[in-house]
């Protein structure tokens, strides 16, 4: 377009333009503008190529999967032998615990069995002993009915002499009672009389039938025994019937 405009300028005007300094500057700029399209096209092609290359590189980099950052904790490889060893160790501990429990249960069973056997042996004759104590009481009453004076021989010829048959009978009964009590004691059956030792009243051993004052004894002391008691291997099978002192 600039070339076309220069064609229509007169020759005189061309000479004037060439001779003036402003004209020379204008001409230089014009020639530069005329040559500019080729330079621009070349620069634009290089820029376009660079842009395409950058796009291609960006696409290629986007297709590459991001590399995982190295983990700070490295995974521990599982060893099958180690796992088997640990499993067997736990099984051994479990079996040992079961073994100890079984041994303890067996020992407890042995102790309970021994106690049951001992109890059954000690108190197997409980029913027989309860039935027998009545016969022992009757034998004791028979001996107590004979007064002591009837058994003593007097030195005086004028005094009545004891009946020899009675003395022999009493001696035989006394001997029988002694042998019977020894036999019962071997099997754990014992007779006790709380009035003989002046024991204190014990509700576990005694049965109070009455209470009476006594100046010679303290309150709560056994005054007299009505019926003697019996103990079988430490267990009371019949409490003694007694009278208890009460002065207040």
């Amino acid at each position: 377009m600039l070339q076309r405009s220069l064609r229509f300028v007169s020759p005189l005007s061309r000479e004037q333009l060439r001779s003036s300094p402003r004209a020379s500057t204008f001409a230089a700029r014009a020639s530069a503008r005329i040559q500019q399209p080729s330079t621009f096209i070349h620069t634009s092609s290089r820029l376009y190529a660079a842009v395409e290359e950058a796009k291609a590189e960006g696409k290629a980099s986007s297709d590459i999967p991001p590399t995982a950052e190295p983990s700070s904790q490295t995974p521990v490889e599982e060893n099958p032998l180690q796992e088997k060893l640990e499993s067997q160790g736990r099984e051994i501990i479990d079996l040992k615990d079961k073994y100890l429990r079984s041994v303890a249960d067996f020992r407890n069973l042995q102790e309970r069995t021994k106690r049951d056997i001992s109890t059954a042996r000690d108190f197997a004759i409980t029913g027989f002993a309860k039935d027998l104590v009545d016969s022992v009481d009757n034998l004791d009453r028979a001996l107590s009915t004979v007064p002591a004076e009837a058994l003593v021989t007097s030195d005086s010829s004028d005094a009545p002499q004891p009946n020899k048959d009675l003395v022999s009978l009493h001696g035989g009964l006394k001997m029988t009672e002694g042998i019977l009590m020894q036999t019962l004691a071997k099997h754990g059956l014992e007779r006790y009389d709380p009035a003989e030792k002046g024991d204190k009243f014990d509700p576990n051993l005694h049965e109070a039938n009455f209470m009476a004052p006594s100046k010679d004894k303290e309150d709560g002391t056994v005054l007299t025994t009505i019926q003697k008691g019996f103990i079988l291997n430490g267990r009371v099978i019949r409490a003694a019937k007694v009278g208890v002192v009460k002065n207040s």
Side-chain angles (χ1 to χ4, degrees), residues 104-240:
D105 293 340
F106 180 71
R107 289 180 179 176
N108 292 334
L109 179 61
Q110 283 182 328
E111 294 296 330
R112 288 196 300 269
T113 304
K114 288 181 181 179
R115 289 196 299 268
D116 294 342
I117 292 174
S118 177
T119 302
R121 182 177 61 251
D122 293 339
F123 302 103
I125 62 172
T126 300
F128 173 73
K130 288 182 179 180
D131 295 336
L132 186 62
V133 293
D134 293 333
S135 301
V136 177
D137 289 339
N138 293 331
L139 183 60
D140 186 40
R141 294 190 188 97
L143 292 173
S144 62
T145 55
V146 179
E149 295 82 5
L151 301 176
V152 177
T153 303
S154 178
D155 296 334
S156 177
S157 58
D158 297 336
Q161 296 298 323
N163 190 344
K164 293 181 180 180
D165 296 333
L166 180 60
V167 173
S168 299
L169 178 60
H170 185 274
L173 291 176
K174 192 70 176 177
M175 188 180 297
T176 302
E177 182 189 27
I179 295 173
L180 178 60
M181 297 309 300
Q182 289 178 3
T183 304
L184 296 177
K186 289 181 181 179
H187 296 278
L189 183 61
E190 298 179 356
R191 184 177 60 181
Y192 65 97
D193 186 358
E196 291 181 355
K197 300 179 180 180
D199 296 340
K200 287 286 187 178
F201 176 76
D202 186 355
N204 296 321
L205 301 174
H206 310 147
E207 179 183 348
N209 286 12
F210 67 91
M211 302 180 73
S214 178
K215 297 180 179 179
D216 299 335
K217 296 183 179 181
E218 298 178 355
D219 290 350
T221 306
V222 176
L223 179 61
T224 183
T225 301
I226 302 173
Q227 188 180 46
K228 297 178 182 179
F230 286 88
I231 296 177
L232 178 62
N233 294 319
R235 179 186 296 178
V236 178
I237 62 173
R238 193 184 72 180

